[in-house]
């Protein structure tokens, strides 16, 4: 059997959309599962749309995701070069081959003339299509005698090479996701294969490259499905063996209405790109928003594919093991920003507390707090479950570092009773007498004191939380006080009694 060789072939026209990352991921998983090879080919034949920095962005994004490329610009390989602009000299001979065979022709129509034909047709409620029905009336090597068109070429008249699409033929082909497809060539036009600027179009370039690079499976976005009949015809004309095709469904907006766009992300506050895009109109990235690559990849893998089980958490290796093209969905997948957070929450829980503490320590330093890592590690253990991102730890832990500046009015109204100040004063001396100020000892001591006194456990603890935290939030009280220490605990009780005591 032929070795599996797949390619991810992005055009460097801007930041790589997460839909593109998913295409790369599915190619990677498929290659890994089948012990094959994944190639990264940069398709930059459209010089007008080329954007500086995009190529680096693509490579950095794949690296961040853990998608390891086997052959490419950086990796090398036996089928290079892997950037189409560096392969420029290869394509012309293939366009010529088709002209010689009679399956393509030279066309000299100026862009202005074609524009006019388009607008004239529109005015009459038609669409202009350059095809078998009209090509004889236009300026090309089919309509003109050989001597004439050869003369035009010699004179340096600009021309393109177009594919000569047959008039009325049924093309049958298969897509691994869509199944069997039949298209009549009458609905297709004579696509340009080679442009007047000396560059091939996508249709010719990608197909020649897929052939020369011995690609076995073409896994790409659904937007290319309408071009597949042309590609099938081209394979036939060349007499080349066709790869198998799989066209991936779209990534849809969260409401399911249309393709996921940057605007949706901006509007709803989530990124649609893997990394921050720093050029021109900047864009947010998953990496900079605090997502771990594992969470991002796991989320993306399940957007358009399912393992056929209830399992949702997958490492890259597990994904590769479970992956199959048969389980890719036919219809588009709605992007769910909440699910993305859910994945990040999961992966954050699996991370080492010390690592998280080190990241958090940087944030604290910027705020002017300096704590040793062991202490912070303990803190992370207390609050990790409550957050999905390292950047959210501060808002869950601010009261560990600063005494409350104010106290929640609702909680005061509900929890602060006339007897509260005296109970808290008693509590203060109970705490003061404790030698080993750890969660177990403080909890046991305080609870026995409450029981002995016959106080209401909830009432005392709620007021206690109010003076320590300033509101009714946060982890276990005895974890909090043992972290901030006896002295600080007592200070906060005093302060709370004196401030709230007057307000209540
Ligand atoms: N350069 C094309 C794109 O960026 C690749 C399509 C394909 O994979 O054939 O969409």
């Amino acid at each position: 059997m032929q070795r599996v060789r797949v390619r991810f072939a992005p055009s460097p026209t801007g930041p790589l959309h997460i839909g593109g990352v998913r295409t790369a991921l599915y190619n990677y998983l498929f290659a890994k599962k089948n012990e094959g090879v994944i190639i990264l080919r940069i398709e930059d034949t459209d010089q007008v749309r080329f954007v500086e920095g995009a190529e680096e962005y693509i490579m950095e994004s794949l690296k961040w995701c853990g998608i390891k490329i086997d052959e490419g610009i950086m990796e090398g390989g036996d089928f290079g070069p892997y950037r189409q602009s560096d392969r420029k000299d290869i394509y012309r001979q293939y366009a010529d081959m088709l002209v010689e065979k009679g399956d393509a022709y030279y066309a000299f129509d100026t862009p202005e003339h074609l524009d006019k034909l388009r607008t004239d047709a529109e005015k009459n409620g038609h669409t202009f299509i350059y095809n078998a029905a009209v090509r004889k009336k236009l300026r090309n090597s089919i309509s003109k005698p050989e001597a004439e068109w050869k003369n035009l070429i010699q004179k340096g008249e600009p021309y393109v090479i177009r594919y000569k699409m047959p008039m009325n033929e049924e093309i049958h082909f298969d897509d691994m996701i869509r199944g069997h497809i039949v298209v009549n060539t009458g609905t297709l036009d004579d696509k340009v294969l080679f442009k007047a600027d000396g560059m091939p179009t996508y249709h010719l370039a990608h197909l020649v490259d897929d052939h020369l690079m011995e690609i076995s499976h073409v896994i790409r976005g659904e937007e290319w499905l309408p071009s597949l009949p042309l590609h099938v015809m081209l394979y036939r004309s060349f007499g080349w063996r066709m790869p198998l095709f799989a066209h991936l469904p779209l990534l849809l907006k969260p409401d399911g209405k249309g393709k996921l766009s940057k605007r949706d992300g901006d509007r709803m506050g989530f990124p649609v790109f893997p990394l921050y895009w720093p050029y021109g109109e900047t864009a947010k990235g998953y990496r900079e928003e605090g997502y771990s690559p594992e969470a991002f990849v796991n989320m993306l893998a399940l957007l358009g594919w399912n393992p056929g089980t209830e399992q949702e958490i997958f490492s890259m290796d597990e994904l590769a093991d479970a992956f199959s093209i048969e389980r890719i969905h036919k219809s588009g997948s709605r992007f769910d920003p909440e699910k993305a957070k859910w994945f990040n929450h999961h992966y954050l829980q699996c991370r080492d507390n010390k690592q998280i503490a080190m990241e958090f320590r940087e944030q604290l330093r910027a705020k002017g707090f300096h704590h040793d890592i062991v202490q912070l590690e303990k803190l992370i253990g207390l609050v990790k479950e409550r957050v999905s991102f390292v950047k959210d730890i501060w808002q869950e832990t601010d009261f560990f570092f600063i005494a409350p500046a104010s106290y929640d009015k609702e909680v005061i109204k509900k929890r602060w009773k006339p007897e509260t100040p005296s109970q808290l004063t008693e509590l203060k001396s109970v705490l003061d007498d404790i030698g080993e100020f750890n969660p177990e000892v403080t909890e046991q001591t305080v609870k026995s004191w409450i029981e002995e006194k016959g106080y209401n456990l909830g009432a005392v603890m709620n007021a206690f939380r109010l003076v320590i935290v300033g509101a009714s939030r946060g982890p276990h009280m005895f974890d909090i006080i043992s972290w901030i220490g006896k002295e600080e605990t007592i200070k906060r009780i005093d302060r709370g009694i004196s401030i709230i005591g007057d307000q209540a």
Side-chain angles (χ1 to χ4, degrees), residues 7 9-11 43 202 206 218-220 223-224:
R7 82 312 189 262
S11 300
E43 301 207 324
Y202 158 72
H206 96 280
V218 169
I219 306 169
R220 64 183 167 194
E223 64 274 25
W224 296 109

Side-chain angles (χ1 to χ4, degrees), residues 54-264:
E55 192 176 290
E56 293 71 18
Y57 181 97
I58 290 165
M59 292 191 280
E60 173 102 15
S61 300
L62 299 183
K63 202 164 136 202
W64 180 66
C65 292
I67 297 175
K68 290 189 202 76
I69 296 299
D70 300 306
E71 294 176 22
I73 302 168
M74 305 309 281
E75 298 74 11
D78 295 338
F79 296 81
Y82 292 94
R83 188 191 282 116
Q84 285 185 330
S85 56
D86 296 335
R87 302 171 65 78
K88 218 170 134 185
D89 299 338
I90 297 178
Y91 305 109
R92 176 66 203 235
Q93 58 193 292
Y94 290 98
D96 287 341
M97 252 165 78
L98 294 183
V99 176
E100 267 158 46
K101 263 198 89 197
D103 285 354
Y105 59 92
Y106 304 113
F108 303 89
D109 319 87
T110 63
E112 295 73 28
H113 183 55
L114 293 175
D115 273 347
K116 187 175 175 315
L117 293 173
R118 272 183 214 111
T119 27
D120 287 351
E122 254 168 54
K123 270 186 216 148
N124 298 322
H126 303 298
T127 312
F128 170 73
I129 305 176
Y130 204 125
N131 63 9
V134 299
R135 72 169 82 99
K136 283 215 174 68
K137 291 180 226 136
L138 294 160
R139 283 185 85 213
N140 53 52
S141 58
I142 294 177
S143 63
K144 294 197 175 299
E146 188 169 335
E148 200 178 318
W149 63 256
K150 280 197 167 153
N151 187 35
L152 285 177
I153 292 183
Q154 224 164 30
K155 273 190 356 211
E157 186 104 358
Y159 64 89
V160 300
I161 298 177
R162 285 183 183 271
Y163 187 68
K164 192 173 151 199
M165 190 57 80
M167 178 89 126
N168 179 20
E169 222 176 88
E170 271 196 350
I171 326 174
H172 290 253
F173 51 92
D174 292 292
D175 180 83
M176 293 175 82
I177 298 168
R178 305 270 140 186
H180 192 67
I181 302 171
V182 186
V183 175
N184 190 295
T185 54
T187 60
L188 306 171
D189 63 341
D190 290 357
K191 276 271 177 314
V192 174
L193 301 178
F194 205 86
K195 294 179 284 185
D197 66 359
M199 283 295 236
T201 59
Y202 158 72
H203 301 296
L204 178 71
H206 96 280
L207 197 123
V208 166
D209 288 345
D210 283 350
H211 172 70
L212 296 178
M213 295 180 179
E214 296 179 12
I215 298 303
S216 62
H217 296 75
V218 169
I219 306 169
R220 64 183 167 194
E222 192 178 74
E223 64 274 25
W224 296 109
L225 193 58
S227 303
L228 189 52
L230 165 69
H231 302 164
V232 173
M233 291 302 290
L234 283 168
Y235 275 105
R236 267 196 220 166
S237 292
F238 281 120
W240 293 340
R241 198 186 51 79
M242 259 203 310
L244 296 177
F245 291 98
H247 285 86
L248 307 175
L250 288 176
L251 276 192
L252 303 177
K253 296 177 194 300
D255 65 7
K257 291 184 190 133
K259 203 172 142 185
L260 182 69
S261 73
K262 176 172 184 291
R263 228 171 306 132
D264 302 314

Side-chain angles (χ1 to χ4, degrees), residues 430-449:
V430 170
L431 293 170
D432 204 13
D433 286 345
I434 296 174
E436 234 185 298
F437 207 74
N438 65 34
E440 296 74 36
V441 177
T442 50
E443 175 161 11
Q444 212 189 26
T445 315
V446 169
K447 284 192 173 159
S448 337
W449 160 71

